[in-house]
Amino acid sequence: MSILYILFAPLALYILNQRITFLSTAIQEKKGTGAVKSESLFLGITLLFVALMVIVIQSVGPLG
């Protein structure tokens, strides 16, 4: 396993957890469709960022 995964995985999991929590809160508190759409958009952007980072790490190869 690349050392980059060890450094990147906890941060990515924390950020994804926060995005999912914010989306869940927006749905539970019935903040309206605007808030849910906004949080869904941010979650999608975050997932895209995580996927791109995985591709970058794979292209760099094993460093550790």
Side-chain angles (χ1 to χ4, degrees):
M1 176 184 272
S2 174
I3 194 164
L4 293 175
Y5 281 123
I6 295 170
L7 296 173
F8 176 68
L11 177 63
L13 290 175
Y14 172 76
I15 293 171
L16 285 173
N17 184 28
Q18 290 300 312
R19 291 281 107 201
I20 292 169
T21 302
F22 291 154
L23 179 60
S24 174
T25 302
I27 291 171
Q28 288 176 357
E29 293 182 2
K30 296 182 173 76
K31 297 216 178 217
T33 57
V36 173
K37 286 180 184 177
S38 173
E39 290 302 329
S40 298
L41 176 66
F42 285 131
L43 179 60
I45 291 169
T46 304
L47 287 172
L48 180 64
F49 174 74
V50 169
L52 288 174
M53 288 304 296
V54 168
I55 291 170
V56 168
I57 292 171
Q58 286 292 325
S59 68
V60 169
L63 295 178

